[in-house]
Amino acid sequence: MQQHPRSTTASAAPGPARGAGRRGTRRFAGAAAAIAAAVALSTLTGPGARAADNPYERGPAPTTASIEASRGPYSVSETSVSSLAVSGFGGGTIYYPTSTADGTFGAVAVSPGYTGTQSSIAWLGPRLASQGFVVFTIDTLTTLDQPDSRGRQLLAALDYLTTRSSVRGRVDSTRLGVMGHSMGGGGSLEAAKSRPSLQAAIPLTPWNLDKSWPEVTTPTLIVGADGDSIAPVSSHAEPFYGSLRSSLDRAYLELNGASHFTPNSSNTTIAKYSVSWLKRFIDNDTRYEQFLCPLPSPSLTIEEYRGNCPHTS
C-alpha cells in the first residue's frame, strides 16, 4: 500500500511587514503546486500505475531468489474435495492464497500420471499457490485413465473450481491453466486442444500416443527429462514441442540428470520455469519475461531449452 506523507505544520517566521504576505502566499502556492505535481507523478509511476496497466499483476517484483524459493510471498491455505462431492474427476486438494486483499487469482489444475494419485504431484500445490495462484491437484477417476480422459478431468476440475468450489470467489475464471505429469502431461495437451481459452499449459515429462498438436493455441511449456526411459524425449516431449505451431508462444525445457519421475518431488528448476510461465501467460505479467527470454542456457540442471522470444501473448 502506498504511504501518504504525514502532514506537518511550520511556524511562520517574522518578516517585512509590507508586501511579505502576498509574496509569501505566492511562494506557498507555488510550493504546493510543485508538491501536488510530484505526488501525481509518483502515483503515475508507482505500483498503482502498474496495477492499472495490468490488473492481474500479483505480488512483488520477482527475483531469481524469489522464484526459486520453496515458498513465495503469499501464505497458503488448503481444502480437500471429496470424490463423492464432484463428478467428472476424482476429487483433490485446492491450495490458495489465504489473503483476499489482492482480489482474485488465476488458477491451475494439475493431474498425476498413470497409476499415480494427487500425492505424487502435491508439492506443486503450495509452491505455486504461494506465488499467487489457486492450484487444484486432482485425483483421477481411476489410476489407469488414459491421457484423453485425464484431459477431460482437468477441465471438469477447473469447472468445479470456478463454479461450485468453496473458493470460487477467489478465482478469476478467465485466467486458467493446466499441468500434468506423464499421462497427466499428455492430458494437459488434450485439455488445451479441447479448450483454447486456457491461458497456459505445462506438460511434465508427458506421455501420449498422439504425437502431433498443431491445434493447440494455448501458450505451452513442455518439460522433458534427459534420462526418461518411460516417455523418452525423442518420442514424446520433443515431437510434441516440434508439432506445436511455430507462431505459438511455446518452450521446451529438458532437465539434465533427470528421470521420468523427477516431477514427482520438489524440483527448483521445474518450479522456477513453471512459475515464470504461469505468471507470464495466466497473469500476463511481463515482469517474469526476464526469466524466459533470452532463452536459458544449458546448466547443471538444464540439458536444453528451446523457445521463441520475445513472447507475444
Side-chain angles (χ1 to χ4, degrees):
M1 181 178 294
Q2 184 173 343
Q3 292 184 335
H4 298 283
R6 289 177 295 179
S7 61
T8 58
T9 303
S11 300
R18 187 177 297 171
R22 287 192 295 272
R23 288 196 300 271
T25 300
R26 285 196 295 268
R27 285 197 299 270
F28 180 80
I35 292 171
V39 171
L41 180 60
S42 173
T43 301
L44 290 173
T45 58
R50 290 196 303 272
D53 292 340
N54 177 17
Y56 309 132
E57 186 177 292
R58 298 289 183 268
T63 63
T64 298
S66 74
I67 61 173
E68 291 183 349
S70 60
R71 291 294 182 271
Y74 291 94
S75 297
V76 173
S77 298
E78 63 182 86
T79 183
S80 296
V81 178
S82 169
S83 61
L84 301 177
V86 301
S87 61
F89 66 105
T93 304
I94 302 172
Y95 302 85
Y96 58 95
T98 304
S99 172
T100 59
D102 288 344
T104 57
F105 295 91
V108 188
V110 191
S111 169
Y114 190 68
T115 73
T117 65
Q118 63 163 318
S119 63
S120 66
I121 38 90
W123 71 274
L124 286 163
R127 188 133 184 187
L128 298 179
S130 69
Q131 295 286 351
F133 295 100
V134 176
V135 184
F136 198 177
T137 58
I138 69 168
D139 279 316
T140 47
L141 293 171
T142 80
T143 59
L144 308 182
D145 292 333
Q146 297 296 299
D148 58 342
S149 174
R150 290 171 192 268
R152 291 192 296 272
Q153 293 181 59
L154 282 167
L155 297 180
L158 288 175
D159 291 342
Y160 170 83
L161 184 64
T162 56
T163 62
R164 294 179 51 210
S165 75
S166 61
V167 301
R168 60 189 179 277
R170 299 172 184 260
V171 180
D172 182 342
S173 62
T174 68
R175 298 189 291 124
L176 305 175
V178 288
M179 297 179 68
H181 170 242
S182 191
M183 284 194 180
S188 68
L189 287 167
E190 300 277 3
K193 175 181 175 180
S194 299
R195 188 171 293 181
S197 62
L198 293 176
Q199 301 296 299
I202 306 180
L204 304 171
T205 58
W207 188 101
N208 201 310
L209 291 176
D210 186 350
K211 310 301 181 184
S212 185
W213 301 93
E215 310 93 339
V216 171
T217 58
T218 296
T220 300
L221 167 63
I222 295 178
V223 179
D226 63 347
D228 194 334
S229 59
I230 294 175
V233 295
S234 60
S235 57
H236 292 273
E238 288 185 314
F240 297 166
Y241 170 78
S243 71
L244 296 171
R245 294 185 300 177
S246 60
S247 59
L248 180 68
D249 286 313
R250 59 177 183 158
Y252 171 70
L253 166 62
E254 185 173 317
L255 301 171
N256 185 30
S259 76
H260 184 69
F261 298 104
T262 293
N264 289 158
S265 58
S266 181
N267 183 279
T268 297
T269 303
I270 291 174
K272 174 180 181 177
Y273 292 101
S274 295
V275 167
S276 298
W277 196 263
L278 297 174
K279 285 286 191 176
R280 178 63 183 84
F281 295 106
I282 289 183
D283 288 356
N284 195 31
D285 194 335
T286 55
R287 298 179 300 173
Y288 288 80
E289 181 84 354
Q290 62 181 304
F291 306 111
L292 303 170
C293 295
L295 300 180
S297 300
S299 66
L300 290 176
T301 60
I302 298 176
E303 174 70 19
E304 181 184 2
Y305 195 105
R306 306 180 215 166
N308 49 349
C309 289
H311 297 114
T312 58
S313 296

